[in-house]
Amino acid sequence: MARVVEPRRFVVHVDAQAHARKTVGLDADGRRCYVHHLHTEVDERFDIDEFPVEVPLRRERRVAWRLQGDDCWLLQVERLDRLESCRPQHERLAPVLLREAELGL
């Protein structure tokens, strides 16, 4: 059974304008071994007093762990859609194995 590479330190990147946050875990050699990416899609609207407000519409969370021994990563994706509604939709995709170049993170 493959095991994940343990991060020794973390680097956090926040992009407030894009409503995104990425945490990267680095192993003892300084290589990426963990990535947690959270992104929220928002729509700019106006409230009842005509003041601009940002309404969250969709949130996606991607978490990936590098596996020991080769260039494989385990990726888990979770989505929350229709956040502005009374019945948001939650979707958790099955974990997948990918090469680092295929991660998109």
Side-chain angles (χ1 to χ4, degrees):
M1 175 182 235
R3 297 181 50 116
V4 300
V5 176
E6 182 180 343
R8 299 293 183 187
R9 67 183 180 95
F10 296 91
V11 178
V12 178
H13 306 277
V14 177
D15 186 339
Q17 277 190 313
H19 303 280
R21 177 187 178 101
K22 182 190 283 188
T23 302
V24 176
L26 304 171
D27 65 11
D29 296 326
R31 291 183 51 212
R32 276 189 344 165
C33 61
Y34 170 82
V35 179
H36 179 271
H37 184 259
L38 182 64
H39 175 263
T40 303
E41 183 180 328
V42 298
D43 186 26
E44 292 189 18
R45 299 182 182 173
F46 295 95
D47 67 9
I48 196 166
D49 296 320
E50 296 298 319
F51 289 106
V53 294
E54 290 182 337
V55 177
L57 302 176
R58 178 179 183 185
R59 182 170 293 131
E60 182 173 279
R61 182 176 73 105
R62 293 174 169 255
V63 182
W65 301 267
R66 193 176 85 228
L67 302 179
Q68 291 179 354
D70 54 13
D71 187 35
C72 281
W73 285 70
L74 181 64
L75 174 67
Q76 173 70 56
V77 178
E78 185 176 6
R79 294 183 181 117
L80 289 169
D81 204 0
R82 297 178 42 199
L83 292 174
E84 78 284 10
S85 74
C86 295
R87 292 184 178 235
Q89 294 177 337
H90 180 254
E91 177 183 27
R92 180 176 286 160
L93 303 177
V96 293
L97 286 175
L98 300 169
R99 299 281 179 207
E100 185 164 10
E102 302 169 318
L103 275 179
L105 295 173

